[in-house]
Amino acid sequence: MDSTALMGAVPRTAVPDEPASANPADPPQPRRGERVVQLRPHQTGEGYKSVYSELTRPSFGSRLRTGVRVTGEVLITFGLVVLLFAGYEVWGKSAIVDAHQNDLNNELAQAWGPTDDPTVAPSVGPSVKPSPPVRGKPLAGLYIPKLDKNWVVVEGVTQQDIRFAPGHYPTSALPGQVGNFSVAGHRNRATFWRLDELDEGDPIVVESKTDWYVYRVSQSRIVRPTQVEVVAPVPGEPDKKATKRMLTLTTCNPKFDNYQRLIIHAELDRTQPKSAGRPAELGG
């Protein structure tokens, strides 16, 4: 028998026909429920370069929705920034000023020292002229009972001096002296925010190393920033010699602006030595 005849007797394993979708060149078939979007090729001079869909082509409506969404996000961000800034102005800045006031209180207490402690060396004799106050250094205590507020007053009225405390005009009188003890402060919630609430007769108390000075409000007025004569020895009359013991507080007006100045004038009502305790206006 021809050897090749046996080959025909070997059964061939049938290979099932492969589906047309098995060809890698064919696109995948959509599944049930899927939406088929017909794509449109974009032809250029160099051939087909990109493919666009009618659903992704920008339209007036889509541009309008995008603009509204972006505008809304910008406004929300701006609103959050404004809220954070307002919170800082109300609480953050007040906390910072309070912290610095505590430091100034401690510094002032150390500078004054105990007045009846025998271990403290006596001060120099009265023949030695005291040195002028140093700018930025604590000078006195200032109390406004009606507002339930008190501060340490520092020397100087530059922006750096009064950043965290009211400041004493260097050329004005000192507490209790004949003349006009003048003090400037920022119009923020930590300092002179409520100064406009003072009425005639309200007490303002100033503390020095040895005495309490109780002033009474005599006048409240609003002036231009250029009217510096309000801190003259005789307020409003810079060429006149002082005979009274005055106190003047100055701050910006209105709130959140500075094109005016709010001025509070007060006259000394009485002096009380600290050895006699706190004045009645402060609950003594």
Side-chain angles (χ1 to χ4, degrees):
M1 182 181 297
D2 189 358
S3 60
T4 59
L6 295 175
M7 297 179 59
V10 178
R12 299 180 59 187
T13 303
V15 179
D17 295 336
E18 295 182 355
S21 59
N23 190 345
D26 295 336
Q29 296 298 320
R31 292 177 294 183
R32 180 178 299 178
E34 288 184 338
R35 182 181 178 184
V36 179
V37 179
Q38 297 295 331
L39 300 179
R40 182 172 60 84
H42 179 68
Q43 185 178 14
T44 65
E46 299 178 358
Y48 292 93
K49 285 197 169 183
S50 59
V51 176
Y52 294 89
S53 169
E54 294 294 339
L55 295 180
T56 60
R57 174 176 296 186
S59 63
F60 175 77
S62 65
R63 290 191 178 98
L64 180 62
R65 288 189 296 271
T66 301
V68 171
R69 183 176 64 252
V70 172
T71 303
E73 292 174 353
V74 170
L75 291 177
I76 291 173
T77 303
F78 179 75
L80 291 175
V81 171
V82 171
L83 287 176
L84 290 174
F85 177 76
Y88 167 75
E89 286 291 321
V90 175
W91 295 290
K93 186 174 290 185
S94 296
I96 294 174
V97 171
D98 290 343
H100 281 271
Q101 280 288 310
N102 289 333
D103 294 339
L104 289 171
N105 262 311
N106 295 332
E107 187 176 346
L108 188 61
Q110 292 177 3
W112 284 348
T115 57
D116 55 356
D117 190 344
T119 62
V120 177
S123 58
V124 296
S127 59
V128 179
K129 185 178 179 179
S131 58
V134 180
R135 298 187 69 93
K137 293 297 183 179
L139 176 68
L142 178 65
Y143 302 77
I144 303 182
K146 182 176 182 178
L147 308 182
D148 193 25
K149 299 288 289 185
N150 66 277
W151 307 271
V152 173
V153 179
V154 299
E155 181 68 17
V157 292
T158 67
Q159 289 297 320
Q160 185 64 27
D161 295 330
I162 65 174
R163 186 179 180 185
F164 304 115
H168 168 243
Y169 286 84
T171 58
S172 69
L174 292 175
Q177 290 183 347
V178 174
N180 189 10
F181 174 54
S182 302
V183 177
H186 283 304
R187 194 73 181 273
N188 55 45
R189 293 186 181 274
T191 317
F192 286 168
W193 180 259
R194 300 170 54 198
L195 210 60
D196 57 320
E197 299 179 20
L198 293 179
D199 298 317
E200 185 176 348
D202 287 337
I204 301 177
V205 182
V206 177
E207 178 187 11
S208 71
K209 180 178 181 179
T210 58
D211 296 289
W212 298 99
Y213 302 98
V214 180
Y215 295 83
R216 297 281 176 180
V217 175
S218 59
Q219 185 182 18
S220 174
R221 57 177 174 154
I222 296 174
V223 301
R224 297 185 303 273
T226 56
Q227 294 180 255
V228 296
E229 64 271 13
V230 296
V231 297
V234 179
E237 302 181 65
D239 298 328
K240 192 173 181 180
K241 184 178 180 180
T243 58
K244 296 182 179 180
R245 304 172 193 269
M246 301 284 297
L247 164 69
T248 296
L249 305 180
T250 70
T251 191
C252 296
N253 191 77
K255 295 175 179 177
F256 302 111
D257 216 323
N258 62 354
Y259 60 86
Q260 295 174 334
R261 295 293 182 269
L262 173 63
I263 308 299
I264 301 293
H265 294 303
E267 295 185 19
L268 183 64
D269 181 55
R270 74 178 193 278
T271 300
Q272 177 177 318
K274 295 177 75 171
S275 58
R278 293 169 66 89
E281 288 79 5
L282 299 181

